[in-house]
Amino acid sequence: AAFVGVNTASQYTFTNTITFSNTVTVGNSTINTTANSTTFSVNGNNISPYNFRNKIINGNIMIDQRNSGANTTLSTNNNVYTVDRWWGQVAANSTGCIAAQATDAPTGFLNSFKVQRTSSNTGTSAITVGQIIESYNCYDLQGQNITLSFWAKAGTDLSNTSIGITVKSGTTADEGMAKYANNTWAGTSNVISTSQTITTTWTKYSITTTSPLGSTIKELGVSFSFTPVGTASTNDWFEITGVQIESGSVATPFEMRPLGIELSMCQRYYQGNKSDGSVGDYGNLIVRVQNSWMPFSTIMRGTPTMSVGTPTYSNASSAAFYNTARHGSEINITISVAGGYAFIPWSATAEL
């Protein structure tokens, strides 16, 4: 192709359009210029040219506002949220199972999500963790192939190293976690349904859909599960991290978003104040008047459900939240003596 350019000290300055028929290599970067291609690669690794390509939030398990790394006991046939955006449940006879943010992780990651059957546990029903993707973040996947990628590791005593992996789509917006777990989403379809044998070494795995998603999908969810056997030993667990769902048939490197952005994305669904100094500690809330408006850190997905811990009162009582909206809530206390106040631990939940 003809072009106009100037070469000065090995530097080309082009003043017209250049058309390439295949690829362009610049240093360690390669751009595929084939028609309709959006493939970029650096050091041989394909990457997307777009930010926010990962539909999973907190896929690297950096944010744990609720528990700050402490264990969450999974409830029998009752989905509970654990680390931010991730839920878990156990089936009928697998009580005493836990999920938690862990510090064991592959190179390039700080945390992972540990799912464990506690020692001496004899329950052998499935243990499942997963994430629901909000409908607003799914529409651009309509009619597209998608690729799920993740890192996984087995504990030395993992009783069943075959991990079940499911990605479901649905045709109604934001039906939520409970219906996903019960397989009752409208128009539900298992776009990925497979198993993966994992080892005691951190390994990256990827799975691509065999056909494009439906043109009317409005929701998406992913889950990982294992069905234990026998009696649990000390290290009957598996860990995952670097979980990514993206458009296309190639698993690109995990998208590391800045921590502050990832936290803000998590706070769309859950936020609160704690006094433990961990992520999610936004300072003590002091109320010195009967009514006070408290803005949230981020506008939430919907009007949240407010929960109040055990308040600490000084010449005050009866802390409660009123007129809650997506952007904040009114706090009401009864003050018995001038100068009374209350420290109110709280959380706001707008999960799917």
Side-chain angles (χ1 to χ4, degrees):
F3 58 86
V4 178
V6 178
N7 177 14
T8 304
S10 300
Q11 177 178 322
Y12 286 89
T13 301
F14 300 104
T15 58
N16 210 333
T17 300
I18 309 171
T19 302
F20 299 94
S21 61
N22 200 342
T23 60
V24 181
T25 300
V26 182
N28 291 326
S29 301
T30 299
I31 304 174
N32 184 347
T33 63
T34 304
N36 299 322
S37 172
T38 56
T39 300
F40 285 59
S41 66
V42 177
N43 292 326
N45 295 312
N46 289 325
I47 63 171
S48 168
Y50 308 114
N51 291 326
F52 295 96
R53 66 187 183 276
N54 187 7
K55 299 299 182 178
I56 296 295
I57 298 174
N58 199 27
N60 58 354
I61 322 299
M62 289 282 287
I63 313 297
D64 186 15
Q65 296 183 87
R66 291 175 177 84
N67 308 295
S68 306
N71 291 333
T72 298
T73 299
L74 303 182
S75 299
T76 302
N77 291 325
N78 183 26
N79 309 304
V80 295
Y81 275 93
T82 57
V83 297
D84 276 63
R85 298 298 299 121
W86 290 91
W87 55 266
Q89 73 160 11
V90 295
N93 66 343
S94 291
T95 58
C97 300
I98 57 176
Q101 181 191 58
T103 55
D104 179 31
T107 300
F109 294 88
L110 184 64
N111 297 107
S112 65
F113 190 22
K114 176 181 282 189
V115 183
Q116 182 171 9
R117 188 173 61 144
T118 50
S119 181
S120 300
N121 192 320
T122 58
T124 54
S125 295
I127 306 165
T128 304
V129 294
Q131 183 172 142
I132 306 301
I133 302 171
E134 187 177 353
S135 292
Y136 283 126
N137 295 329
C138 292
Y139 290 109
D140 61 325
L141 299 179
Q142 292 176 345
Q144 304 292 314
N145 279 100
I146 61 170
T147 296
L148 165 69
S149 57
F150 60 96
W151 290 80
K153 178 182 176 180
T156 54
D157 303 320
L158 184 61
S159 57
N160 183 356
T161 57
S162 180
I163 303 301
I165 301 159
T166 303
V167 178
K168 294 181 186 179
S169 65
T171 55
T172 298
D174 293 334
E175 290 185 281
M177 169 182 60
K179 286 189 174 183
Y180 174 94
N182 293 329
N183 201 35
T184 56
W185 274 2
T188 188
S189 175
N190 287 350
V191 298
I192 291 176
S193 181
T194 188
S195 61
Q196 178 65 59
T197 299
I198 63 174
T199 71
T200 55
T201 300
W202 277 110
T203 305
K204 184 177 180 179
Y205 305 95
S206 66
I207 306 161
T208 299
T209 52
T210 56
S211 59
L213 303 187
S215 60
T216 60
I217 69 112
K218 296 179 180 178
E219 54 191 349
L220 208 64
V222 60
S223 55
F224 299 83
S225 64
F226 90 110
T227 303
V229 297
T231 300
S233 295
T234 304
N235 295 302
D236 193 5
W237 51 258
F238 73 92
E239 295 171 332
I240 56 172
T241 194
V243 184
Q244 181 157 288
I245 289 179
E246 59 191 308
S247 177
S249 58
V250 176
T252 67
F254 181 78
E255 181 182 30
M256 289 284 189
R257 293 184 285 253
L259 181 62
I261 291 176
E262 203 75 22
L263 174 60
S264 180
M265 293 171 71
C266 291
Q267 288 174 333
R268 176 173 170 80
Y269 306 90
Y270 175 90
Q271 54 185 284
N273 87 325
K274 292 184 175 182
S275 57
D276 55 15
S278 65
V279 173
D281 178 10
Y282 307 106
N284 294 353
L285 177 63
I286 304 299
V287 181
R288 298 188 182 278
V289 294
Q290 187 170 358
N291 297 286
S292 179
W293 177 257
M294 178 190 69
F296 296 141
S297 299
T298 300
I299 294 177
M300 303 194 72
R301 183 187 67 86
T303 300
T305 299
M306 301 298 298
S307 298
V308 179
T310 303
T312 299
Y313 294 112
S314 176
N315 297 317
S317 62
S318 305
F321 288 90
Y322 295 94
N323 300 321
T324 300
R326 293 177 61 202
H327 57 290
S329 185
E330 179 182 333
I331 309 160
N332 179 282
I333 62 171
T334 300
I335 298 174
S336 57
V337 177
Y341 64 89
F343 165 62
I344 309 170
W346 60 271
S347 65
T349 302
E351 296 282 9
L352 289 161

